[in-house]
Amino acid sequence: MHIQFPKPTLPRACWEGRITAGSPGMPPETETELVPQSSDKTLYCEAEPPPTVEKVKPARENSETDLEIEDNEKFFTTGQKELYLEACKLVGVVPVSYFIRNMEESYVNLNHHGLGPRGTKAIAIALVSNTAVTKLELEDNCIMEEGVLSLVEMLQENYYLQEMNISNNHLGLEGARIIADFFERNSSSIWNLELSGNDFKEESAAPLCQALSTNYRIKKLDLSHNQFSDIGGEQLGQMLAINVGLTSLDLSWNNFHTRGGVALCNGLRGNVTLTKLDLSMNGLGNEGAVALGEVLRLNSCLVYLDVGGNDIGNEGASKISKGLESNESLKVLKLFLNPISMDGAILLILAIKRNPKSRMEELDISNVLVSEQFMKTLDGVYAVHPQLDVVFKAVQGLSAKKTIFLLTNPMKLIQNYADQHKITVMDFFKSLNPTGTMKMSVDEFQKVMIEQTKVPLNQYQVREVIKKLDEKTGMVNFSLLNTMKP
């Protein structure tokens, strides 16, 4: 099936008229009657009487279209909203009132509207010449391959739409092939595409990966909650080895195991663009962790890596720690929901400590119980890398009194001090800065906060303050206090 859309020549110009009988996807009648709301065949679109719309008269040139122009007067007066209403009438669906009200907004959320393939086609027709919408949400609309074909045809004409979510739409293998063809064209402005939960199985990986190997426009791609396994992992790994567009890839909640995980990691070794990768809730195991350690050792681009819930134990943590000893790019490593004990956690934090060029800011081991001895070791790591935040479950054997001392909100303590001395919190922080300015380096700020005696704080409380004031540039900025809630 091929849908021919008009080519708009002016911003907000609309193509008008009636789809001719016998057009692709259209019924044979000259005009399709609106499906009654009570009919079992009605698509569950939100129904509302079409509002009266003030017609505009945009000038435009003739262009090829599958719409039959009936008279010149109508050609010049029909607007975007009338175009959508006409499209709904001709494909036989009830118009979505939300879309009518928001088609001039930059963000349109049509998730869970029950559009179906025909309702999606009506939306696509209306968007061909739309210059307002830049982000479109169409999750859970059962659009299937017919609906996604309408969308990709629309995207060949619309260069304003940049982000699209078509997750949970039962696209399957045929939908994957249509999207792969879209990727190969490299002709759309779409850079963020969400395809989560679309019944993509192993056979869908081949066309998608082949197309992505040469695609440079898609920057952010979500393929989570699909059914890719080890063969898919091998094909994705080959794609990542040569792709030069993707910066963020979500592969969480698939079925990758050791073989697929290792193949993915092999592709990542030489990748020079991907900065964020989510592999959580798969099954890489300790053997996959060996490959991850190699990625961290060789890859100088990855900034965010999530491998939570991958059956990685202390042995795997040891291999990952080897990579952390030399990595100079990673900032966030998530290892939650893995069977790592405190012994594995110590290996990880000591590896970061031994790397003077580490940029690590967050290590998530939030299911691990640690000891007071671990906390002392962590203090030494924080002294070398004050930007680091290690998230763990709790401290074993810590008295209730000491726990309260460790976890008391430091900003409340500082606020109480400021109230007692009739100064502002900002005045308190500025008094700690020898220059009296609004900014300090993170290292210098941490040092003076520990040494000051006006409001005694422990290492963990100081780190909480730093997180609130950190500009993520190695500096704390006291003016950020103005953006905080009281």
Side-chain angles (χ1 to χ4, degrees), residues 418-438:
D419 292 343
Q420 290 171 10
H421 291 79
K422 295 181 171 53
I423 61 172
T424 65
V425 172
M426 194 173 295
D427 289 335
F428 168 81
F429 284 121
K430 288 177 68 176
S431 70
L432 301 176
N433 190 350
T435 64
T437 60
M438 299 292 284

Side-chain angles (χ1 to χ4, degrees), residues 6-16 54-61 75-83 99-108 125-134 157-160:
K7 299 179 180 179
T9 57
L10 292 174
R12 301 208 180 272
C14 302
W15 39 282
E16 324 299 344
E54 183 179 350
K55 298 183 179 181
V56 295
K57 296 185 178 181
R60 59 154 293 151
E61 301 171 5
F75 179 76
F76 283 104
T77 59
T78 306
Q80 292 257 313
K81 293 179 182 178
E82 283 104 335
L83 171 60
F99 182 61
I100 294 172
R101 294 193 304 270
N102 291 275
M103 62 196 308
E104 299 298 323
E105 302 296 327
S106 61
Y107 174 68
V108 173
I125 290 172
L127 287 175
V128 167
S129 57
N130 183 289
T131 62
V133 180
T134 59
E157 307 293 342
N158 183 317
Y159 290 95
Y160 293 89

Side-chain angles (χ1 to χ4, degrees), residues 352 360-363 381-382 385-390 463:
I352 296 170
M360 281 290 294
E361 295 178 359
E362 180 184 343
L363 174 62
V381 179
Y382 285 158
H385 296 290
Q387 80 283 357
L388 179 64
D389 184 24
V390 178
R463 292 195 55 71

Side-chain angles (χ1 to χ4, degrees), residues 373-398:
Q373 182 58 47
F374 176 91
M375 301 297 285
K376 291 178 182 178
T377 304
L378 189 55
D379 283 341
V381 179
Y382 285 158
V384 178
H385 296 290
Q387 80 283 357
L388 179 64
D389 184 24
V390 178
V391 184
F392 48 84
K393 185 174 183 179
V395 182
Q396 293 175 314
L398 203 61

Side-chain angles (χ1 to χ4, degrees), residues 265-422:
C265 291
N266 289 340
L268 283 170
R269 290 184 183 186
N271 185 283
V272 295
T273 58
L274 195 70
T275 60
K276 183 175 182 179
L277 176 63
D278 190 344
L279 282 170
S280 61
M281 311 313 292
N282 281 286
L284 273 60
N286 288 327
E287 292 183 47
V290 174
L292 282 172
E294 280 297 291
V295 169
L296 294 178
R297 187 175 69 85
L298 299 171
N299 183 288
S300 59
C301 190
L302 207 58
V303 173
Y304 178 107
L305 176 61
D306 189 344
V307 285
N310 268 280
D311 198 28
I312 297 171
N314 288 342
E315 181 185 347
S318 173
K319 303 302 181 182
I320 292 173
S321 68
K322 295 294 184 184
L324 289 174
E325 287 182 1
S326 58
N327 184 278
E328 298 179 16
S329 64
L330 196 69
K331 292 183 178 181
V332 177
L333 176 59
K334 291 186 175 291
L335 286 161
F336 67 104
L337 295 179
N338 281 298
I340 297 173
S341 71
M342 186 172 61
D343 292 336
I346 288 176
L347 292 174
L348 292 165
I349 63 172
L350 288 179
I352 296 170
K353 182 181 181 181
R354 285 192 290 268
N355 182 357
K357 295 183 179 181
S358 174
R359 299 181 66 194
M360 281 290 294
E361 295 178 359
E362 180 184 343
L363 174 62
D364 186 348
I365 47 172
S366 50
N367 60 303
V368 179
L369 284 169
V370 301
S371 66
E372 289 193 60
Q373 182 58 47
F374 176 91
M375 301 297 285
K376 291 178 182 178
T377 304
L378 189 55
D379 283 341
V381 179
Y382 285 158
V384 178
H385 296 290
Q387 80 283 357
L388 179 64
D389 184 24
V390 178
V391 184
F392 48 84
K393 185 174 183 179
V395 182
Q396 293 175 314
L398 203 61
S399 67
K401 184 176 181 181
K402 192 165 185 179
T403 300
I404 292 172
F405 171 71
L406 284 174
L407 302 179
T408 301
N409 187 334
M411 295 305 295
K412 286 186 177 181
L413 296 175
I414 294 170
Q415 183 68 62
N416 290 340
Y417 174 88
D419 292 343
Q420 290 171 10
H421 291 79
K422 295 181 171 53

Side-chain angles (χ1 to χ4, degrees), residues 61 116 140 155 202 312 474:
E61 301 171 5
D140 183 30
L155 290 172
E202 292 285 53
I312 297 171

